[in-house]
Amino acid sequence: MAGRAAVPEVIWARPERTGRGPRPAYRRADIAAAAVRLADAHGVDAVSMRRVAAELGCGTMSLYNYVPRKENLYELMVDEVSGEYELPEPTGDWRGDMLATARQTRAIMHRHPWLHRVMTTLYATGPNALRYLEACLGYLEPLDAPPGTKMECVGMVNGTVMIFVVNEFAMADRARAVPWTAEQETAVRGAYLGSQLATGRYPRLAALYATAPEAPEDPDVLFERAVSRVLDGFG
């Protein structure tokens, strides 16, 4: 395909458009926004060079002048939605600032349920990704730790958010796939678990569930606690 390189390259280091002819008809932001619209509406599997070109109203081969590979397209998409972060100035409370940023990450992932499937640390070089990392390091300035440890903190918070959200998606998918309610399933599984704990074979679990709340905790509460515990590990 036109412009496709046989060696690694950074999409951001390329000119907006390669090849001869008039000045570019599209910006990278236009291409990324079109791909994000497709993924939001139909899932990431629906994103192809052909469909993005159709969304823009250009030929598929013309699109390769801007984006040489589909992997580059994913990178543009990830950076496009990374631009949705609001990154205020640090307050001096590094835990609070990082927790607020983690809440935004969770919200962005829910707005774009495909994001976790294409997100990778290799895509941390886009302008919005760099803006995000710079902001996080600013939030972590009061933390007495080496720079590398601060980057580990950012990575572990992001990993915790991703695992939490992916589990939320999995639970929601299952709820849609079965013909009963979540409350009905919880009751049936709870009754079975109770019968197993009553055998005496699991004394530690029995002691745990004897003090556990009957109703499942609010997901927002669980999320805040999970991220806070990661941050406490760095404090």
Side-chain angles (χ1 to χ4, degrees), residues 149-161:
T149 301
K150 293 179 180 181
M151 283 299 292
E152 287 180 10
C153 178
V154 176
M156 289 186 69
V157 168
N158 281 337
T160 300
V161 176

Side-chain angles (χ1 to χ4, degrees), residues 20 54 79 139:
R20 300 176 181 177
D79 203 69
Y139 299 148

Side-chain angles (χ1 to χ4, degrees), residues 4-209:
R4 297 190 68 173
V7 295
E9 64 175 348
V10 178
I11 185 66
W12 309 105
R14 290 170 57 92
E16 285 275 337
R17 178 183 182 277
T18 60
R20 300 176 181 177
R23 66 189 183 91
Y26 304 102
R27 298 175 301 126
R28 285 198 188 104
D30 301 325
I31 297 168
V36 167
R37 287 195 299 272
L38 280 171
D40 287 347
H42 306 290
V44 73
D45 291 332
V47 176
S48 67
M49 300 295 274
R50 179 183 60 80
R51 293 191 69 172
V52 172
E55 180 80 9
L56 291 167
C58 70
T60 304
M61 294 303 295
S62 297
L63 189 60
Y64 281 104
N65 287 318
Y66 299 87
V67 185
R69 295 180 183 275
K70 190 174 181 179
E71 292 78 13
N72 299 134
L73 189 58
Y74 290 154
E75 185 167 2
L76 295 181
M77 293 166 65
V78 171
D79 203 69
E80 175 74 9
V81 300
S82 296
E84 296 177 14
Y85 280 101
E86 294 181 7
L87 300 170
E89 290 298 310
T91 66
D93 174 9
W94 66 269
R95 284 183 178 85
D97 288 344
M98 288 300 294
L99 181 57
T101 307
R103 293 188 195 112
Q104 289 196 64
T105 303
R106 183 185 178 204
I108 289 170
M109 291 185 72
H110 274 280
R111 287 197 293 273
H112 309 287
W114 49 269
L115 183 57
H116 70 278
R117 291 187 53 192
V118 297
M119 188 182 292
T120 165
T121 54
L122 289 174
Y123 293 168
T125 53
N128 287 319
L130 292 175
R131 169 177 160 266
Y132 165 82
L133 290 173
E134 181 70 18
C136 286
L137 290 175
Y139 299 148
L140 290 170
E141 277 192 354
L143 175 62
D144 184 17
T149 301
K150 293 179 180 181
M151 283 299 292
E152 287 180 10
C153 178
V154 176
M156 289 186 69
V157 168
N158 281 337
T160 300
V161 176
M162 182 177 291
I163 291 170
F164 193 94
V165 173
V166 168
N167 184 65
E168 287 184 300
F169 291 159
M171 294 293 288
D173 288 343
R174 174 173 170 75
R176 287 190 291 267
V178 296
W180 50 74
T181 66
E183 291 75 17
Q184 289 174 312
E185 179 155 15
T186 298
V188 170
R189 290 185 179 274
Y192 172 77
L193 179 60
S195 71
Q196 295 304 299
L197 297 181
T199 65
R201 293 196 296 268
Y202 313 103
R204 297 177 184 85
L205 282 173
L208 170 67
Y209 280 98

